[in-house]
Amino acid sequence: MQKNDANFTPIFDGKTLTGWHFVPRLPVPRAPGEPGPDPTTEKYQRAAQTCGKWTVEDGAITGRQDPPGSGYGGYLLSDGLYEDFELIFEARPDWPADTGILVRASALGSQGFQILLDHRRSGNIGGIYGNGIGGFHGISFTLNATYDEQGNPTGLRLEDPSTTIEPLTPDKPALLDYAANGEEFLSIWKWNEWNTFKIRVEGASPRITVHINDMKISEMNTADLKHPFYDAAKVRELLGSKGHIAFEIHDNDPGMGDARWAPNAACRWRNIQIRELSQPGNEPNI
């Protein structure tokens, strides 16, 4: 178990959800200024009826769909709002469990910069996605699982591009200022164990840097990001200078069904700590 760093402040007490609250995973426009979803639809109304199930088990925040296999998710948001910071935590997802960590998130949870933890077929871990802020998808590899003779998942492997359901097109890695390749990622990822994330967020349109198990996986400067549906000024206006930290339970969809989130799957987070960067002398890591 990771020990607390003296420079970081815990924001999860390991026993309760004090300091956190949950919200439904409601549909939102793809980007600021685009038309919003119709709240009278059955899909919207069903999504509004659950926030997922959030518990504390064995010292870890644990998120599941509620009821199991319902296909609807939710978000767990920090009560606190954070501007420039470094966030460290450990995560352990089941397979398949499509989740992520949003920073600078709005009160809805579903608008913000998401660090991907897509632990499922055609997923990516450590890339950066624009939830409700343009839908940009900064990744450099996609994943699948290896299976034993009984059909049980036993580890991660790089995905065969010919079988993917989310093609890795050249525009996706081009969004990143730095990207580890898939082989590098697989060399440090620990299957069915705790993996340590360190996320640095800094700037009005933030530069986001992601390390996993001490390896730099991705970096993106959203101030200079070029994407058809991303407008840095509109995103700053929507999100402001501070936002929540949000953990995600993903919905299922007709295309993937429970291959996106298995009926009894969970993701777990523990040792969640933050260091705010508002004081002078906190120069960026090189």
Side-chain angles (χ1 to χ4, degrees):
M1 180 179 295
Q2 181 183 357
K3 295 181 179 179
N4 288 348
D5 188 311
N7 295 317
F8 286 73
T9 300
I11 55 173
F12 166 52
D13 63 18
K15 299 177 181 179
T16 72
L17 293 177
T18 300
W20 298 82
H21 62 280
F22 37 78
V23 298
R25 191 179 185 278
L26 296 175
V28 294
R30 176 178 54 185
E34 292 195 2
D38 182 355
T40 67
T41 63
E42 180 183 0
K43 178 180 178 181
Y44 189 101
Q45 292 180 356
R46 286 194 63 190
Q49 293 172 9
T50 179
C51 299
K53 184 177 182 180
W54 299 96
T55 57
V56 178
E57 302 173 18
D58 298 323
I61 292 174
T62 303
R64 297 181 175 89
Q65 290 186 348
D66 186 33
S70 66
Y72 289 90
Y75 291 99
L76 184 73
L77 275 63
S78 63
D79 292 347
L81 298 171
Y82 301 99
E83 187 170 5
D84 293 350
F85 59 87
E86 287 184 335
L87 174 72
I88 57 176
F89 58 87
E90 294 171 289
R92 184 164 66 89
D94 290 339
W95 180 275
D98 188 339
T99 181
I101 307 93
L102 281 89
V103 296
R104 298 271 179 91
S106 74
L108 291 175
S110 49
Q111 296 164 313
F113 300 92
Q114 182 184 167
I115 290 77
L116 296 170
L117 184 43
D118 293 353
H119 198 243
R120 46 86 174 167
R121 178 187 172 192
S122 300
N124 173 272
I125 299 174
I128 302 169
Y129 180 73
N131 258 73
I133 55 172
F136 57 83
H137 203 183
I139 63 172
S140 60
F141 56 86
T142 58
L143 301 164
N144 206 339
T146 57
Y147 294 86
D148 63 19
E149 293 180 355
Q150 289 72 45
N152 300 308
T154 58
L156 291 182
R157 64 175 174 85
L158 295 182
E159 185 178 41
D160 180 350
S162 68
T163 64
T164 187
I165 54 176
E166 293 188 33
L168 180 60
T169 50
D171 58 299
K172 294 179 179 179
L175 297 172
L176 296 167
D177 295 307
Y178 177 86
N181 62 43
E183 290 82 2
E184 290 171 323
F185 168 80
L186 289 176
S187 74
I188 56 90
W189 182 258
K190 295 178 284 188
W191 173 262
N192 201 30
E193 296 183 37
W194 293 99
N195 291 272
T196 300
F197 286 65
K198 184 175 183 179
I199 300 166
R200 186 179 180 99
V201 179
E202 191 167 24
S205 292
R207 178 179 290 275
I208 301 172
T209 309
V210 180
H211 287 77
I212 300 176
N213 296 334
D214 296 323
M215 177 181 283
K216 186 175 180 180
I217 301 298
S218 67
E219 184 170 358
M220 175 184 285
N221 182 6
T222 67
D224 297 333
L225 185 66
K226 300 294 189 296
H227 185 273
F229 305 112
Y230 176 76
D231 184 310
K234 289 182 179 179
V235 170
R236 287 195 301 269
E237 183 178 356
L238 173 70
L239 300 181
S241 62
K242 296 183 177 183
H244 300 276
I245 294 162
F247 297 120
E248 179 188 42
I249 300 169
H250 207 289
D251 294 349
N252 295 352
D253 56 72
M256 291 192 68
D258 59 13
R260 187 178 289 278
W261 193 290
N264 295 309
C267 189
R268 303 158 189 85
W269 297 267
R270 71 181 186 186
N271 295 326
I272 307 164
Q273 307 167 55
I274 200 163
R275 178 170 75 99
E276 298 189 74
L277 303 176
S278 56
Q279 294 81 16
N282 288 321
E283 292 83 6
N285 292 335
I286 303 300

